Structure formats: C-alpha cells, structure tokens
C-alpha cells in the first residue's frame, strides 16, 4: 500500500466542511448520551429495572426498524423539511420523557414516549455521510472524510456513556435527559440550516421505475450490506462472548477494558485506512476486511487470560471501522443522485440488525454449549454470508 497525497486537513479545509460537520457532531452527540439517563430515569420513575430495560428496547427498536422509512422520506421530500421536523420531534419526545420521569408519570406513558422518541430519531449521521459526498470530491478526499467521520463517531460512543455515567453521579437522571434533548435540537437545526443539507432536495415527480425500485432488489447493493451485517453481528457477539470468556479472568472489569480496546482498535483502523491507499474494488475490499475482522475475532474461542483476549479483540477492532467506511462509500455510489440517504441508512440498519442478532444468538449458544461452539457456529454463518456477498458483487 502506498501513502496518499491527499491529506485529512485538505478535506477539512474544503469550504463548508467544518461548520457542517461540527453542527452534525453536536446533534449526533445526543445519541451517545441518551441511553444511560433513559435507563435510570425510567427505573427511578417506575421502581423497576425490567421496565427500564423495556423502555430502552422500545427506543432502540423504533430507532432501528424505522430508519429506512425516515431515510425514504428525506430522499423523497428533501432533507431540510423532513430532518428539521424529526429533530424537533425527537427533542420534544426526549424532553417529554424527562418531564414524565421527574413527575413519576404513568408507566404506559413512559413506554409510549420511549418508542415515539426512537421512531422519530433524526438520521443525522447517515445524512452527514451523504453530505461528505457533496462537500468533497470522490476518491481520496471522500475516503479521508468518511474515515475521519467514522473515527469521531467511534470516539463519541466511547466517551459519551462515560460522560453520562459521571453526570448521573451528581444529577438526577430525569434532568440529565434534557442534555441530549438540547444537543439534538441545537446541533440538528444548525445542521439543517447549512447550504449542503439545503441542497439535498427531494426526487422529481417524473421519477423512473429505476429510482422507485427498492435498493434491496439490487444484487450489488445487497453485496454491500452483507459485510456490514457481518461486522454488526461480530460486534454484538463480542459484547456477550468477551464477558463470558473473562468471567474467571478478571470479570466485568477485564471485559470492560477489552471491549473498550475493541472500540479503540476500530478508531485506529479508521485512521489507518484513511491514511493509506488500499488496492482493489470496494466489493473486494469489503470481503477482505470483513474476513480479517471475522478471523481475528474468532480467536477469542481459543485464547485465555485477560491480556490475550484484550490483544485479540483490539486487533479485530482495527478492521471494524474500515468495513463500515467502505460500505458507506459503496452505498454512496449505489444510491445515485436520489437514494443516497436510503443507501447509507440501509448500511446503518444492516449493522444494527447484525448487532442485535449477534448478541442474542451468542447468548443462546454460549448458554447451551459454551463459547468455542458459539464462536464456531457464528463464524461459519458469517463466512457463508461473505461468500454470498462476493458472488453477488461479481454477478452482472
């Protein structure tokens, strides 16, 4: 691999990049800060951790399952009106959750507000990734911009829960919920007001059948989604398998360090991928990078001890961000002029669905037959999905 001549500073110095990215980052920070306050606010209001878990699950289900529908609305009617409305609705729903929890409101109302907040969660991250494609030329600068975006997002979700946890030590969870509500409204509206988002208009009325057809009906696009699904499933399964493997080797503390190193490795991988020229088409890169992630993560079935597991998990993490970066770049191309939000959102959804399936399946298999068996089964399924991805990408 040879070093690229384009630099990250060139991408960041492109007109409108910094104000657009800064506004989006402010709005996206809300997602990294909302889950812990939501969990504890509902728990305090209902006196039940089970009810709190249900509220978080409802929020997550609404956010993930309806993401393609929200992206379709943006592509159909334009980013500024739809995203602006979603930002205000989400901020209002989270604020309503805060008020209801502080007032010890009815359990049913808390559940309704949780699922409503998830249902209207504005896709600021996917829209920002579309904005990168409009702000910088395709090729080197776009790769660097998307790599930087992925690294910052990893750090956001690494630091956000820690900040939220520290805040909850001194602030009522209900009051803490106002912070993400304010962040998403302020950052989201600033993002919506940028010229780049304003230029994301809806589809013209005379759209062709090609534009109306679902992206999921296109083989090459499905080939992009499968590695993202595999990456999500690996991330989700590690969140269950690592604590199981380290139960007798440091327990929760060692597992927390190892999973944190996975996120750290992912951030490093994103920086490295943005700094070097990787040969091969996006389809080949996706399969190769996902294979690296799968191979290294599977080693947790055979290594023992906190140090060995941490090293393996950190090394696997190096491949995680590059998989998602290439998937977003390929989705940007596949979406064409009128389906880019839908394309990038489907990549997000595939990752989220994979994460949910991975964590659930890992828990069931580990409980039934132990970690090595669970890893073997899941690795086999993941390998088959990557083979299918390679076949679909090559078919004309």
């Amino acid at each position: 691999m040879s070093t690229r001549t384009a630099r990250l500073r060139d991408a960041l110095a492109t007109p409108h990049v910094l104000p657009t990215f800064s506004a989006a980052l402010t709005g996206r920070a809300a997602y990294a800060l909302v889950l812990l306050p939501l969990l504890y606010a509902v728990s305090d209001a209902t006196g039940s951790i089970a009810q709190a878990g249900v509220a978080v699950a409802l929020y997550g289900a609404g956010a993930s399952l309806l993401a393609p529908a929200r992206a379709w609305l943006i592509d159909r009617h334009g980013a500024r009106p739809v995203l602006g409305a979603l930002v205000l609705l989400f901020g209002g729903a989270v604020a309503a959750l805060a008020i209801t929890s502080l007032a010890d409101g009815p359990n049913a109302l808390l559940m309704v507000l949780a699922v409503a907040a998830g249902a209207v969660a504005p896709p600021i991250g996917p829209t920002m990734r579309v904005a990168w494609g409009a702000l910088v030329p395709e090729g080197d600068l776009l790769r660097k911009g998307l790599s930087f975006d992925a690294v910052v997002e990893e750090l956001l979700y690494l630091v956000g829960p820690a900040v939220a946890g520290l805040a909850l030590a001194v602030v009522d969870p209900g009051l803490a919920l106002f912070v993400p509500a304010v962040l998403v409204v302020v950052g989201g509206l600033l993002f919506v007001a940028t010229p780049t988002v304003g230029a994301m208009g809806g589809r013209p009325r005379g759209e062709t059948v090609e534009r109306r057809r679902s992206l999921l009906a296109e083989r090459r696009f499905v080939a992009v989604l499968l590695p993202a699904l595999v990456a999500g499933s690996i991330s989700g399964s590690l969140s269950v398998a690592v604590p199981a493997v380290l139960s007798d080797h440091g327990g929760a503390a060692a597992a927390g360090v190892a999973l944190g190193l996975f996120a750290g490795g992912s951030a490093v991988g994103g920086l490295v991928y943005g700094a070097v020229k990787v040969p091969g088409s996006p389809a080949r890169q996706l399969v190769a990078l996902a294979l690296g992630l799968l191979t290294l993560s599977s080693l947790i079935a055979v290594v023992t001890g906190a140090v060995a597991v941490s090293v393996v998990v950190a090394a696997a993490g190096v491949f995680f961000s590059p998989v998602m970066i290439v998937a977003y770049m390929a989705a940007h191309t596949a979406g064409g002029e009128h389906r880019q939000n839908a394309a990038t959102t489907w990549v997000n959804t595939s990752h989220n669905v994979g994460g949910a399936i991975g964590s659930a399946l890992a828990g069931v298999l580990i409980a039934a037959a132990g970690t090595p068996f669970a890893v073997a089964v899941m690795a086999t399924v993941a390998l088959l999905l990557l083979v299918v991805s390679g076949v679909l990408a090559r078919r004309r």
Side-chain angles (χ1 to χ4, degrees):
M1 294 185 288
S2 60
T3 305
R4 289 187 179 275
T5 55
R7 298 168 300 176
L8 175 59
R9 70 175 66 180
D10 298 325
L12 296 179
T14 303
H16 304 298
V17 164
L18 279 180
T20 304
F21 181 73
S22 299
L25 184 62
T26 303
R28 292 158 81 178
Y31 296 121
L33 295 171
V34 73
L35 288 181
L36 275 179
L38 173 60
L39 178 72
Y40 286 105
V42 175
S43 177
D44 287 353
T46 63
S48 168
I49 191 64
Q51 291 278 2
V54 170
V56 171
L58 289 173
Y59 167 81
S64 298
L65 298 179
L66 295 179
R70 295 191 294 269
W72 179 87
L73 287 172
I74 289 175
D75 284 335
R76 184 67 183 85
H77 300 288
R80 180 164 284 170
V82 176
L83 194 60
L86 290 173
V87 163
L88 293 174
L89 288 171
F90 181 77
V94 174
L97 267 168
I99 294 170
T100 304
S101 68
L102 289 170
D104 292 333
N107 292 6
L109 179 57
L110 289 168
M111 300 303 139
V112 169
L113 289 172
V115 73
V120 297
I124 298 176
T127 306
M128 182 61 223
R129 283 183 275 269
V130 174
W132 277 111
L135 288 166
V136 300
E138 292 193 25
D140 292 357
L141 287 180
L142 179 58
R143 181 190 299 273
K144 289 188 178 296
L146 288 174
S147 299
F148 180 68
D149 188 283
V151 170
V152 171
E153 187 167 68
E154 286 288 346
L155 294 176
L156 197 64
Y157 282 94
L158 185 62
V159 174
V163 172
L166 291 174
L168 290 175
V170 295
V171 178
D172 188 281
L175 291 175
L177 273 176
F178 283 109
V179 175
V182 170
L183 284 174
V184 77
V185 170
V186 173
L189 292 182
L190 287 174
F191 181 56
V192 166
T194 61
T196 308
V197 175
M200 296 179 191
R203 291 198 293 260
R205 290 185 179 275
E207 61 181 358
T208 63
V209 173
E210 179 71 18
R211 288 175 181 170
R212 289 198 303 266
R213 188 175 65 180
S214 170
L215 284 163
L216 297 183
E218 300 178 12
R219 290 191 296 269
R220 288 182 180 272
F221 186 69
V222 175
V224 172
L225 296 184
L226 291 178
L229 180 73
V230 168
S233 70
I234 291 172
S235 176
S237 64
L238 285 177
S239 67
V240 177
V242 169
V245 170
L246 296 180
S247 60
D248 296 326
H249 300 277
V257 170
L259 293 174
L261 287 172
F262 179 80
S266 179
V268 171
L271 288 173
V272 171
Y273 184 82
V276 299
K277 184 176 182 178
V278 181
S281 65
R284 290 182 177 180
Q285 288 184 31
L286 270 174
V287 173
L289 291 167
L291 278 173
L293 173 62
L294 175 61
T295 301
L296 288 170
S297 63
S298 298
L299 292 178
I300 66 165
V302 295
V303 299
T304 57
V307 173
V309 170
S310 296
V311 170
V312 164
V313 170
V318 171
F319 289 86
F320 181 80
S321 272
V323 171
M324 301 307 297
I325 291 166
V326 178
Y328 286 127
M329 291 184 67
H332 172 78
T333 302
E337 184 180 354
H338 300 289
R339 298 182 296 176
Q340 290 188 1
N341 279 283
T344 56
T345 300
W346 271 117
V347 172
N348 255 14
T349 302
S350 296
H351 166 267
N352 292 337
V353 169
I357 293 174
S359 57
L361 189 58
V364 171
L365 292 176
I366 289 173
T371 302
F373 175 79
V375 171
V377 170
M378 298 188 70
T380 302
V381 174
L383 183 59
L384 290 174
L385 290 176
L386 293 179
V387 170
V388 172
S389 174
V391 171
L392 292 177
R394 291 187 177 186
R395 290 185 63 181
R396 295 185 181 276

